[in-house]
Amino acid sequence: MNRIFSIALGILAAIGGFVDIGDIVFNVAAGAMFGYQLLWVVVIGVGAIITYSEMCGRVAVVSQRAVMDAVRERLGYRVGLVALVAGQFVNLLTIAAEIGGIALALQLLAGLPFRVLLVLAVLALGVVIWILPFEWIERVFGYVGLTMLVFAVAAIKLGPDWGEVASGFVPHVPSSDVALYAYFVVGLIGAATVPYEVFFYSSGAVEERWTPKDLGTNKANAIIGYSLGGLLSFALMILAGTLFYPAGITPESLGTVALGVEVPLAQIGLLLGLIGILFAVGGAAIDSAFSGAYNMAQFFGWEWGKYRAPVDAPRFTLAWMVMLVLGFLIVVTGVDPIMVTEISVIFSVVALPLTYVPILLVANDRAYMGGYANGRLANVLGIAFLVIILVVAVAAVPLMIVTNMGQG
């Protein structure tokens, strides 16, 4: 039973990291605009996040050093500071988008004014982080977030053409809208591999005091957790490709996404879908707030960790509080949370190399890792995905400009 519960970190990372507001927005929009044609990109995203999460989890287990520790030591203070600033900027945008997503989901459930729900959302997040132990945050948001599986049920019940779905796993270049297609390739990879996922995951391994005997759990977390996230991403895109694409509908709100579940599953599907979105986005907000606090504490050498009492790690506690407040202040201005989501994903793509390069370097450093350093398969996969990450990092901003953020 303890081994089953230990997978909760991977499920939380997948539900609150892989399937967050960014993944929901980009997968549904990609399905609505291109049908099933971009399913192959999700495979790349899943492969990359599994490879690097397993790698950074292994580094954390063996060296007891989280990702930001590695970034600063391997790249030096100045480059590490650039990575910290870039990571915090992306974390802040992500938190703002997630808080906005929570308020939108609550509005669909309760019908209260949006700004009132923003206040309730940020207060609820603060109370949950303050009161619940780390393992219970994992369990509550990870396991309740599994109600997102209703999207997979809905996608199957809609009866898509499975031959066309299968063809979506084969990469190809479309005859038209090439720039828009490329923009969604970049966005889908970015949504799957946002930096806060590995920051949170590696720090979580240290929080849970994993030792080398937990390396099997680390691998299971990465593979099972993110494969589950990939399954949900497939479901979102297939649902949109089956329901919205033929009708020429471009969903511009979480409400439209949730209504997509109501079509095949009626009101119970809508309710479960909204609950799933609420806990997935809530888990992502907590991941992002923790990630920002972890990064600051690890870079500047502060005491950190949710397992410590707030008075024993005051600067870490203050850091996650400030991240939540700043995220709230961004979205309470009235800016569209969906727009903030797209911007955060695209800029996270730009910051990816500053996170993933040092992970690969440290995982190959036998002074840190000894016999647990990367093997041949880990290096082949790591280098292949890193090349892809470098390409999309260079292309991200130009494609965002050319396509007017996916508007064509």
Side-chain angles (χ1 to χ4, degrees):
M1 185 61 69
N2 287 337
R3 183 67 64 180
I4 294 174
F5 276 134
S6 69
I7 305 299
L9 178 61
I11 293 177
L12 175 60
I15 298 298
F18 199 99
V19 185
D20 66 350
I21 187 74
D23 196 69
I24 293 170
V25 167
F26 270 96
N27 275 279
V28 172
M33 290 187 178
F34 294 99
Y36 315 127
Q37 296 179 50
L38 287 162
L39 286 167
W40 63 273
V41 184
V42 179
V43 177
I44 293 176
V46 172
I49 195 61
I50 287 175
T51 298
Y52 277 91
S53 289
E54 187 282 328
M55 213 179 288
C56 73
R58 180 159 34 92
V59 169
V61 167
V62 174
S63 68
Q64 291 301 297
R65 303 175 72 86
V67 169
M68 189 49 70
D69 279 332
V71 170
R72 176 175 175 175
E73 180 157 346
R74 293 297 309 205
L75 299 184
Y77 182 87
R78 291 183 179 178
V79 177
L81 185 60
V82 172
L84 175 66
V85 172
Q88 295 300 79
F89 174 70
V90 172
N91 274 337
L92 192 56
L93 290 177
T94 303
I95 291 171
E98 309 297 354
I99 291 173
I102 294 170
L104 288 173
L106 288 173
Q107 190 174 44
L108 292 168
L109 286 166
L112 296 175
F114 180 69
R115 280 188 168 83
V116 172
L117 292 172
L118 283 175
V119 175
L120 293 176
V122 76
L123 289 176
L125 288 170
V127 170
V128 166
I129 296 175
W130 184 276
I131 292 177
L132 289 184
F134 189 83
E135 61 270 18
W136 277 104
I137 292 175
E138 291 177 357
R139 293 172 188 178
V140 170
F141 285 87
Y143 294 133
V144 179
L146 287 175
T147 53
M148 283 285 291
L149 287 170
V150 72
F151 285 92
V153 176
I156 293 170
K157 195 164 183 180
L158 282 170
D161 183 327
W162 292 107
E164 290 187 15
V165 171
S167 69
F169 289 96
V170 179
H172 68 283
V173 179
S175 57
S176 61
D177 295 326
V178 175
L180 188 61
Y181 185 88
Y183 172 79
F184 277 99
V185 169
V186 169
L188 289 168
I189 291 175
T193 57
V194 282
Y196 82 80
E197 293 178 35
V198 290
F199 290 138
F200 173 81
Y201 186 85
S202 66
S203 299
V206 177
E207 289 263 29
E208 295 202 337
R209 297 180 175 87
W210 283 356
T211 66
K213 68 181 179 62
D214 296 303
L215 286 173
T217 298
N218 170 56
K219 186 171 292 186
N221 269 339
I223 294 173
I224 296 172
Y226 287 110
S227 294
L228 175 61
L231 173 64
L232 292 173
S233 295
F234 293 146
L236 289 166
M237 194 181 298
I238 291 170
L239 184 148
T242 305
L243 191 62
F244 301 137
Y245 177 65
I249 298 172
T250 302
E252 296 182 354
S253 70
L254 284 181
T256 309
V257 175
L259 287 172
V261 183
E262 187 179 26
V263 171
L265 298 177
Q267 289 190 348
I268 185 63
L270 175 63
L271 178 61
L272 291 175
L274 288 173
I275 291 173
I277 290 172
L278 179 63
F279 277 84
V281 174
I286 291 173
D287 287 9
S288 302
F290 273 155
S291 176
Y294 287 143
N295 290 351
M296 292 288 290
Q298 291 161 12
F299 188 85
F300 292 110
W302 304 340
E303 295 291 336
W304 62 273
K306 185 67 175 70
Y307 65 90
R308 300 177 188 273
V311 294
D312 295 328
R315 288 175 291 189
F316 170 76
T317 302
L318 180 62
W320 64 254
M321 287 181 175
V322 169
M323 294 295 288
L324 284 178
V325 171
L326 290 177
F328 166 77
L329 291 176
I330 290 174
V331 75
V332 80
T333 61
V335 64
D336 183 2
I338 303 301
M339 184 185 73
V340 175
T341 298
E342 294 193 29
I343 293 173
S344 70
V345 169
I346 295 302
F347 278 97
S348 76
V349 172
V350 178
L352 282 178
L354 292 173
T355 300
Y356 282 54
V357 168
I359 293 174
L360 186 62
L361 291 174
V362 174
N364 276 287
D365 190 339
R366 294 194 177 275
Y368 276 149
M369 302 298 293
Y372 298 107
N374 276 2
R376 182 174 298 176
L377 178 60
N379 276 329
V380 168
L381 292 174
I383 292 170
F385 288 125
L386 183 60
V387 170
I388 294 171
I389 286 168
L390 291 171
V391 171
V392 298
V394 171
V397 174
L399 285 171
M400 181 178 71
I401 295 171
V402 168
T403 64
N404 190 26
M405 291 183 59
Q407 300 303 308

